[in-house]
Amino acid sequence: MLKQYENELKSLLPNSLIKVDEPLKNYTYTHTGGNADFYITVYTHEDAKNTLIFCKENDIPVTILGNGSNLIIRDGGIRGVVLNTLELKEITREGNTVYAGSGARIIDVSRFARDHSLSGLEFACGIPGSVGGAVYMNAGAYGGEIKDVLVEIIAVTPEGEIITVGKDDLHLGYRKSVVQENDYLVLQAIFELEESNQENIQSVMDELTHLRESKQPLELPSCGSVFQRPPGHFAGKLIQDSNLQGHRIGGVEVSKKHAGFMVNVDNGTGSDYEALIAHVQDVVFDKFGVKLEREVRIIGEK
């Protein structure tokens, strides 16, 4: 449908990688998802901005994709442009301030901080998403959240304006932010950390890594934690007490290792994930009267 724009995009973005009708299952942790009309990997802030401006002017929908870790893409794929930010991955520091490109893995930023004896991002040592995704979701684990260390971000609005947004104006809450509400494209995040002993930082990271590896099904494709934590409950415990561990639809099942995860055990599809999520929500609600809200994002066409 958008083939007519291919040459224009390639002329506008000579330094970007543009793929047509690209399978998105190659870019998600679940190994699911149909094709994107255009899959564009940008290498500069300017190309990211120009892509958004072009798409706005031509009424082309844009979907931002980072590491694809807490995400399910439906089998029908995504129309328009999927804009990949993973090459915006530079990490630098000035004193206790760390500047991280939106495409950098938040794990790598936590390791960079450790290598420079900076504390504050230990909690992120096992979060698989990108910096942009971590800001988008206000990612957190083991008592820490992005909002604890974030100072500000540089982002692009859907109209193509590059802006700086301070932490207070990001309205970072439990798995939410202004980035979600306003469809900003994060270009860079700035973190303020504290000097500490490198051995102490590593010790904390080792402990959290052990906890994660012992409890989470890291050996199989998954979308990470599927549900938000319901007030007064734990999603995994509710699912476990509903005898749903091991329950399977198609090629996707509720993890036997951790009930809060769903793993792709046999060529599962986005439809399998969506059906299993709905089934778990129904069973838990019928049994406990608790409505589980998704943490994982589901996008694309059926």
Side-chain angles (χ1 to χ4, degrees):
M1 183 182 82
L2 298 175
K3 188 75 174 174
Q4 68 201 69
Y5 296 114
E6 183 177 354
N7 291 334
E8 287 184 72
L9 282 167
K10 288 181 176 178
S11 176
L12 177 70
L13 308 167
N15 299 315
S16 296
L17 182 62
I18 301 174
K19 297 182 179 181
V20 180
D21 202 28
E22 180 70 4
L24 292 169
K25 65 182 181 181
N26 298 335
Y27 306 98
T28 59
Y29 270 56
T30 58
H31 298 175
T32 64
N35 293 4
D37 290 338
F38 288 112
Y39 184 85
I40 301 178
T41 301
V42 293
Y43 290 79
T44 67
H45 291 186
E46 193 69 14
D47 277 0
K49 181 184 84 168
N50 289 338
T51 302
L52 293 184
I53 292 173
F54 179 86
C55 290
K56 182 77 172 178
E57 290 175 346
N58 291 281
D59 200 27
I60 301 171
V62 180
T63 301
I64 311 302
L65 184 65
N67 223 22
S69 57
N70 199 214
L71 180 72
I72 295 166
I73 298 178
R74 294 187 176 103
D75 306 327
I78 297 177
R79 304 288 67 80
V81 166
V82 172
L83 180 60
N84 177 273
T85 60
L86 290 183
E87 291 301 322
L88 304 177
K89 58 186 179 182
E90 185 178 22
I91 308 170
T92 59
R93 66 173 283 235
E94 290 181 10
N96 294 353
T97 305
V98 171
Y99 302 82
S102 62
R105 297 191 313 161
I106 194 67
I107 288 175
D108 291 335
V109 183
S110 72
R111 291 170 180 166
F112 177 92
R114 172 204 62 198
D115 293 345
H116 291 85
S117 301
L118 295 174
S119 175
L121 276 169
E122 291 88 335
F123 73 90
C125 69
I127 297 175
S130 65
V131 167
V135 171
Y136 181 96
M137 294 288 288
N138 183 32
Y142 301 111
E145 291 181 300
I146 289 297
K147 71 176 184 179
D148 299 336
V149 288
L150 186 68
V151 176
E152 63 185 19
I153 64 166
I154 297 172
V156 190
T157 69
E159 293 73 33
E161 180 187 1
I162 295 180
I163 59 173
T164 299
V165 187
K167 181 174 77 171
D168 290 344
D169 292 323
L170 284 170
H171 299 160
L172 297 164
Y174 180 59
R175 305 298 175 262
K176 65 181 181 179
S177 70
V178 159
V179 175
Q180 292 179 35
E181 298 167 11
N182 295 348
D183 292 326
Y184 291 155
L185 164 59
V186 179
L187 297 174
Q188 186 183 59
I190 296 92
F191 301 102
E192 189 67 28
L193 306 177
E194 296 182 357
E195 291 182 28
S196 185
N197 180 281
Q198 192 172 116
E199 290 184 3
N200 292 342
I201 295 171
Q202 184 63 60
S203 176
V204 173
M205 292 171 73
D206 288 344
E207 180 182 354
L208 296 182
T209 298
H210 171 72
L211 286 171
R212 183 169 176 265
E213 290 177 346
S214 64
K215 292 183 178 180
Q216 297 182 14
L218 305 179
E219 67 281 359
L220 290 167
S222 84
C223 55
S225 182
V226 178
F227 299 106
Q228 297 181 21
R229 184 178 64 247
H233 299 276
F234 291 98
K237 182 73 164 57
L238 291 170
I239 296 166
Q240 183 178 339
D241 291 346
S242 298
N243 298 315
L244 285 167
Q245 279 185 285
H247 187 83
R248 181 168 164 176
I249 293 180
V252 179
E253 75 174 25
V254 177
S255 170
K256 300 182 183 77
K257 190 173 184 180
H258 189 311
F261 288 71
M262 294 179 182
V263 289
N264 191 342
V265 293
D266 185 16
N267 298 308
T269 66
S271 298
D272 294 341
Y273 266 102
E274 212 164 356
L276 186 57
I277 288 170
H279 178 72
V280 168
Q281 287 174 315
D282 288 344
V283 172
V284 168
F285 186 78
D286 287 346
K287 190 172 180 65
F288 297 105
V290 177
K291 181 173 171 54
L292 292 179
E293 301 288 350
R294 282 190 287 106
E295 178 171 321
V296 64
R297 294 172 62 216
I298 301 177
I299 61 174
E301 300 191 1
K302 294 186 178 180

